[in-house]
């Protein structure tokens, strides 16, 4: 299993490359490129949130809580909330994630469980897409891609380190296949993970305009279908 330093080093280098490419080749601003690179670096640490207690895990929870509080404050100010209320909610968010989140995970999460899985990767990407405030879907996808790339690097690195070499013979450790997986061993963990994934996927598809909610798709008396107007450049007469 790869160590904490290996994970943050690899995801950090990927973040630098991801941010640089997005800025110089895809037209995003330097600030957006830097933010996406930082998210990539953070994503490389997220699967270890279910690890045993230790200094790296405490630092990771602190970092995650700080990012969550800043995103919350930015979103509230954007919708018109007064700054004092936004700051208060951000402080509450930090405490809830930093202490409440770590307590809950310590009680229920299993190390190398569904936190180390492809569904968890998708949940992380969709979470960033939904919470990052921007009028541009391209920017939202950029940020979601950053966190997903970092998360994926963690899973791949764990699988690489699960291959052990003895002379010319390669053999797999017991941890092989425990990172890049779709299902874990526990039924409860699988059910919770897929319930969250399906819910967030539906919300993401609606938010991005791919799906239309049923109440909006079906016309009613209160919400009749729009009247089609003839184009001024089209005529119905035949000559």
């Amino acid at each position: 299993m790869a160590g904490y330093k290996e994970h943050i080093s690899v995801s950090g280098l990927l973040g630098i490359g991801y941010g640089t490419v997005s800025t110089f080749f895809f037209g995003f601003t330097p600030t957006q490129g830097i933010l996406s690179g930082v998210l990539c670096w953070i994503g490389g640490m997220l699967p270890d949130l279910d690890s045993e207690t230790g200094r790296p895990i405490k630092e990771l929870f602190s970092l995650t809580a700080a990012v969550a509080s800043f995103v919350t404050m930015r979103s509230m100010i954007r919708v018109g909330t007064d700054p004092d209320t936004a700051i208060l909610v951000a402080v509450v968010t930090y405490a809830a994630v930093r202490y409440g989140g770590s307590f809950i995970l310590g009680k229920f999460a299993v190390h190398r469980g569904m936190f180390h899985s492809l569904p968890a990767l998708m949940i992380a990407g969709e979470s960033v897409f939904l919470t990052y405030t921007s009028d541009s879907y391209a920017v939202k996808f950029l940020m979601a891609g950053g966190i997903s790339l970092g998360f994926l690097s963690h899973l791949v690195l764990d699988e690489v380190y699960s291959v052990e070499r003895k002379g010319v013979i390669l053999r797999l450790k017991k941890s092989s296949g425990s990172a890049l997986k779709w299902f874990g061993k526990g039924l409860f963990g699988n059910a919770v993970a897929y319930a969250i994934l399906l819910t967030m996927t539906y919300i993401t598809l609606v938010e991005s305009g791919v799906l239309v909610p049923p109440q909006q798709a079906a016309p009613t008396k209160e919400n009749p279908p729009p009247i089609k107007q003839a184009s001024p450049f089209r005529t119905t007469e035949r000559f």
Side-chain angles (χ1 to χ4, degrees), residues 9-25:
S9 298
V10 171
S11 62
L13 291 174
L14 283 175
I16 293 173
Y18 186 78
T20 301
V21 170
S22 64
T23 300
F24 288 99
F25 295 95

Side-chain angles (χ1 to χ4, degrees), residues 159-167 169-173:
E159 292 295 347
V160 170
Y161 271 74
S162 68
V163 179
E164 188 177 37
R165 178 179 177 181
K166 287 189 175 181
I169 300 177
L170 298 178
R171 70 182 186 89
L172 299 178
K173 299 179 182 179

Side-chain angles (χ1 to χ4, degrees), residues 91-217:
V91 172
V92 173
T93 301
Y94 177 88
V97 175
R98 173 63 182 85
Y99 301 104
S102 60
F103 175 79
I104 293 173
L105 285 178
K107 291 292 183 181
F108 300 102
V110 178
H111 185 47
R112 303 283 288 192
M114 285 303 286
F115 261 87
H116 283 73
S117 69
L118 295 174
L121 183 155
M122 298 170 67
I123 291 172
E126 290 172 347
S127 298
V128 171
F129 177 85
L130 293 173
T131 56
Y132 190 85
T133 307
S134 176
D135 295 329
S136 171
Y137 284 137
V139 174
K140 292 168 73 72
F141 278 115
L142 174 71
M143 302 304 169
I147 201 85
S148 300
L149 178 61
F151 203 109
L152 179 63
S153 73
H154 186 115
L155 302 184
V156 171
L157 203 59
D158 278 348
E159 292 295 347
V160 170
Y161 271 74
S162 68
V163 179
E164 188 177 37
R165 178 179 177 181
K166 287 189 175 181
V168 294
I169 300 177
L170 298 178
R171 70 182 186 89
L172 299 178
K173 299 179 182 179
K174 293 182 178 180
S175 59
S176 178
S178 61
L180 285 170
K181 62 179 181 291
W182 287 101
F183 295 96
K185 295 181 180 180
L187 179 61
F188 178 76
N190 290 329
V192 171
Y194 274 93
I196 296 173
L197 175 61
L198 292 175
T199 301
M200 296 194 66
T201 299
Y202 175 77
I203 297 173
T204 300
L205 292 175
V206 171
E207 173 70 18
S208 58
V210 177
L211 290 180
V212 179
Q215 63 270 22
Q216 294 182 11

